[in-house]
């Protein structure tokens, strides 16, 4: 998780392991790309978010899941994802 290039204030790690993938992680990735305007490995121009994929987060029971910084979110759908991002944007 060490990086030589500057990253965003918040690091989004979307689980891409099979259970989350089968539970719809692909639709979350599409929503993240659309909402953030960046691809995997990139950082938003405002420096707020960096988007990454990761292996199993250990919460397969609530797949699909992602982490933002140290916080884990499960049972996600694109609508809930947008609400979470809005909260982070509001908080700065
Ligand atoms: S496969 Fe995504 S949390 Fe386990």
């Amino acid at each position: 998780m060490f990086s030589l290039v500057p990253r965003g204030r918040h690091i989004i790690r979307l689980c891409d392991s099979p259970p989350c993938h089968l539970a719809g992680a692909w639709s979350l990735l599409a929503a993240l790309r659309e909402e953030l305007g960046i691809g995997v490995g990139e950082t938003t121009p405002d420096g707020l978010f960096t988007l990454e994929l990761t292996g199993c987060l250990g919460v397969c029971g609530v797949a699909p899941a992602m982490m933002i910084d140290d916080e884990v979110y499960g049972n996600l759908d694109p609508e809930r994802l947008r609400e979470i991002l809005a909260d982070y944007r509001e908080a700065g």
Side-chain angles (χ1 to χ4, degrees), residues 47-66:
L48 196 55
F49 297 108
T50 294
L51 176 59
E52 297 180 347
L53 297 179
T54 186
C56 181
L57 296 169
V59 292
C60 313
V62 294
M66 71 173 180

Side-chain angles (χ1 to χ4, degrees), residues 10-14 28 31-32 35-36 48-49 62 64-92:
H10 302 291
I11 310 298
I12 300 172
R13 295 186 175 95
L14 177 67
L28 298 179
L32 282 165
E35 189 71 23
L36 300 175
L48 196 55
F49 297 108
V62 294
M66 71 173 180
M67 280 182 81
I68 300 182
D69 304 330
D70 295 330
E71 202 70 38
V72 177
Y73 299 92
N75 292 321
L76 292 169
D77 59 29
E79 184 178 331
R80 177 67 184 127
L81 181 68
R82 289 186 179 94
E83 291 171 0
I84 293 167
L85 292 178
D87 289 345
Y88 277 85
R89 283 182 169 130
E90 194 173 304

